[in-house]
């Protein structure tokens, strides 16, 4: 069965202006959001892939995500994608484990990916909090992040994430102003 690595290999020679953002591109960006991109703003995924250090642990998911970065970074499709911004908030005081990254796929098209539950204790607390509280801190952070990106960047946006990250993407979209929603092409809740 084909997977996202096969997709990157098969379609990696097509630029985004030749073949728009697909559902699988969403899966790639949403998966890459699990890497720590702090300090890489302004660099392309190709540059980041060359500099990024392999995780020093035996976590298969982390190692696979690192491999995806290497594969995607060496492709034409993803290698020229710039990392515009990333924000991480971790606060046990207010039960917030938030991470978002904005990828610039071209000069006026952006993909905002939200990280889902990771291995932080506060992330698991937040997952439980989704059952009885609204909004949770990460949802408010997601709305603020998207609003700021819309204010600072001209163009159209895709939002996505896996698990809690998908919830954050959907929440942010639902609570945007109508004129802001017009700039959102698609929301992915994986």
């Amino acid at each position: 069965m084909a997977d996202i690595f096969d997709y990157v290999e098969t379609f990696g020679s097509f630029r985004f202006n030749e073949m728009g953002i697909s559902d699988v591109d969403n899966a790639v960006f949403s998966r890459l959001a699990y890497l720590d991109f702090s300090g890489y703003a302004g660099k392309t995924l190709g540059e980041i892939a060359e500099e990024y250090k392999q995780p020093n642990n035996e976590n298969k998911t982390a190692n696979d995500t690192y491999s995806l970065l290497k594969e995607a970074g060496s492709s034409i499709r993803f290698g020229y994608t710039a990392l515009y911004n990333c924000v991480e908030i971790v606060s046990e005081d207010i039960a917030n484990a938030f991470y978002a990254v904005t990828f610039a796929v071209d000069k006026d098209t952006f993909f905002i990916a939200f990280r889902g539950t990771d291995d932080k204790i506060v992330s698991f607390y937040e997952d439980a909090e989704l059952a009885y509280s609204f909004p949770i801190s990460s949802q408010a952070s997601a709305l603020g992040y998207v609003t700021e990106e819309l204010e600072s960047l001209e163009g159209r946006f895709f939002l996505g994430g896996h698990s809690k990250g998908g919830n954050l993407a959907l929440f942010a979209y639902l609570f945007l102003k109508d004129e802001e929603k017009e700039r959102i092409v698609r929301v992915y809740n994986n």
Side-chain angles (χ1 to χ4, degrees):
M1 175 183 256
D3 61 16
I4 57 178
F5 290 95
D6 295 322
Y7 175 83
V8 171
E9 184 178 333
T10 303
F11 296 99
S13 61
F14 293 94
R15 294 183 183 274
F16 284 102
N17 64 356
E18 297 172 308
M19 187 180 108
I21 293 177
S22 73
D23 294 348
V24 185
D25 294 316
N26 146 66
V28 171
F29 289 127
S30 295
R31 177 75 177 265
L32 290 175
Y34 283 87
L35 295 174
D36 180 8
F37 287 122
S38 54
Y40 291 103
K43 295 187 177 188
T44 66
L45 287 177
E47 293 168 328
I48 296 168
E50 289 180 14
E51 297 174 20
Y52 205 93
K53 302 291 183 230
Q54 184 165 6
N56 190 16
N57 62 40
E58 298 195 21
N59 181 319
K60 180 176 175 4
T61 302
N63 287 318
D64 287 350
T65 306
Y66 169 77
S67 296
L68 179 62
L69 171 64
K70 298 298 266 185
E71 182 81 22
S74 67
S75 73
I76 292 170
R77 185 167 186 78
F78 294 98
Y80 294 103
T81 298
L83 191 138
Y84 176 75
N85 188 20
C86 84
V87 169
E88 181 171 31
I89 301 169
V90 179
S91 172
E92 293 183 19
D93 293 348
I94 59 171
N96 193 357
F98 173 79
Y99 185 89
V101 58
T102 302
F103 297 100
V105 297
D106 61 36
K107 64 182 171 72
D108 63 355
T109 306
F110 305 91
F111 193 104
I112 297 176
F114 296 97
R115 182 183 292 167
T117 305
D118 56 18
D119 58 0
K120 295 175 186 70
I121 296 296
V122 69
S123 290
F124 292 104
Y125 177 81
E126 247 190 346
D127 283 354
E129 195 177 31
L130 281 167
Y132 63 85
S133 186
F134 183 82
I136 64 169
S137 296
S138 285
Q139 289 171 327
S141 296
L143 177 59
Y145 183 87
V146 172
T147 300
E148 287 176 15
E149 295 299 270
L150 289 168
E151 287 175 3
S152 66
L153 298 168
E154 295 293 323
R156 56 198 194 114
F157 288 78
F158 292 77
L159 309 177
H162 176 264
S163 187
K164 182 183 84 176
N167 175 285
L168 298 180
L170 187 58
F171 178 91
Y173 175 76
L174 289 173
F175 289 92
L176 289 172
K177 297 175 186 165
D178 288 340
E179 61 271 14
E180 293 171 324
K181 286 181 182 178
E182 292 175 8
R183 295 178 55 201
I184 308 298
V185 177
R186 179 166 288 156
V187 180
Y188 293 97
N189 182 1
N190 303 297

